[in-house]
Amino acid sequence: MIRKKEKRDDKMIKKMRPYFLVMALVAALSCVASNHALAEEWQEDFNLAARILTPTGKSKYFVLVPGFQTVLESPTEKITITVLDETKEINGITTRVVEERELKNGKLHEISRNFFALDPKTGDVFYFGEDVDDYKEGKITSHSGTWKAYENGNKPGLIMPGNAEVGKKYYQEIAPGVAMDRAEVVSVSETLKTPAGTFDNCLKIRESSKDKPAPAEYKTYAPGIGLIQKEDAKLIRHGYLNRKSAPR
């Protein structure tokens, strides 16, 4: 009787084997598709309508206080980032103007005026566009990269998440045809040595573009300071230009 039962079980297993193989294949394909979807998922909707934004304040890795300045330098490049005592209204939202001045080989290369606003509840900092002046031999040659949110289909991007988790992927600029830059959090525990000191627990991000084939770029942000490394350029100094601007 036992042998007959074993034979019946063997026959049943043989009959069911193709079914199990098909199910295993379906499960494997579903897993691959799911992982592929996750790999391609870049956040671009930030529910700004439900947020209250401010042009002044600080998040963990981003400072929007007038007078705060960071300076980065490499053998061929110097970047000066200054939070101006100036705001700009974009679609009813008051944003802070942050100037980024870039020199290459000692000559002025670009000046951009960037527009940011902070959600004090979450620490998220949003990017509403920029005015760009490109220079050559001291003269403005173009305004490439200029864009503003809510114009020509453009939307605000997330320049800095308040809660930066490894693997988080988001659009920084959403201006089709002009700038579709995006970032992925690579680390939140970096240690970086710069001419201005050594910084721990730093955020490292990998930046790329959806519509441009340029190589990815890596940036590092230090808590309480902001950008301290952009490729070869590293922080040489930071602080408030006017002590009266410094928060107490």
Side-chain angles (χ1 to χ4, degrees):
M1 293 292 291
I2 293 175
R3 288 181 181 177
K4 288 183 180 181
K5 184 176 184 302
E6 288 177 348
K7 287 181 179 180
R8 288 198 300 270
D9 290 345
D10 288 341
K11 288 181 180 179
M12 182 62 71
I13 290 172
K14 288 180 180 179
K15 287 182 179 180
M16 296 296 291
R17 188 172 294 164
Y19 171 78
F20 290 132
L21 289 173
V22 170
M23 292 302 294
L25 180 60
V26 170
L29 290 175
S30 296
C31 183
V32 170
S34 177
N35 289 338
H36 180 72
L38 288 174
E40 294 299 320
E41 190 174 337
W42 297 83
Q43 184 180 1
E44 58 179 298
D45 183 6
F46 307 104
N47 194 24
L48 293 188
R51 298 175 183 258
I52 297 176
L53 303 179
T54 175
T56 306
K58 300 169 76 174
S59 70
K60 187 173 182 179
Y61 304 105
F62 214 91
V63 179
L64 281 182
V65 179
F68 187 75
Q69 184 181 82
T70 54
V71 183
L72 289 75
E73 197 170 66
S74 75
T76 60
E77 187 178 29
K78 185 175 183 180
I79 304 168
T80 303
I81 302 171
T82 308
V83 184
L84 303 182
D85 189 12
E86 184 179 341
T87 60
K88 183 176 181 65
E89 186 171 307
I90 298 177
N91 199 48
I93 298 171
T94 303
T95 68
R96 175 64 53 189
V97 182
V98 177
E99 181 190 83
E100 183 169 332
R101 182 179 294 258
E102 182 181 358
L103 277 67
K104 287 192 174 181
N105 298 313
K107 295 183 178 180
L108 184 59
H109 176 71
E110 179 184 293
I111 296 177
S112 62
R113 289 163 51 84
N114 304 274
F115 313 122
F116 302 112
L118 166 73
D119 181 343
K121 187 175 181 180
T122 64
D124 293 335
V125 183
F126 296 98
Y127 194 15
F128 288 79
E130 60 179 319
D131 287 332
V132 181
D133 293 333
D134 297 312
Y135 285 82
K136 187 174 182 179
E137 301 300 330
K139 295 182 179 180
I140 295 175
T141 58
S142 69
H143 304 284
S144 63
T146 294
W147 69 280
K148 288 185 182 64
Y150 306 108
E151 293 182 1
N152 303 315
N154 303 334
K155 298 190 295 184
L158 177 66
I159 197 67
M160 180 59 64
N163 180 27
E165 298 179 333
V166 174
K168 184 177 180 65
K169 303 164 79 171
Y170 51 93
Y171 275 96
Q172 299 171 305
E173 298 179 274
I174 307 175
V178 179
M180 290 295 290
D181 292 355
R182 53 196 185 180
E184 178 179 0
V185 177
V186 175
S187 173
V188 292
S189 57
E190 290 291 302
T191 295
L192 185 69
K193 184 177 181 180
T194 75
T198 300
F199 301 91
D200 298 319
N201 301 314
C202 294
L203 166 68
K204 184 176 182 179
I205 65 171
R206 177 182 181 273
E207 291 187 355
S208 61
S209 174
K210 179 183 178 181
D211 53 7
K212 294 180 182 178
E217 182 177 79
Y218 290 86
K219 293 181 180 178
T220 306
Y221 294 79
I225 297 173
L227 185 66
I228 62 169
Q229 177 265 327
K230 177 183 178 183
E231 295 297 305
D232 295 332
K234 293 183 178 180
L235 187 72
I236 61 170
R237 65 175 181 272
H238 66 92
Y240 289 88
L241 298 176
N242 185 343
R243 290 187 177 182
K244 293 181 180 179
S245 301
R248 296 181 180 180

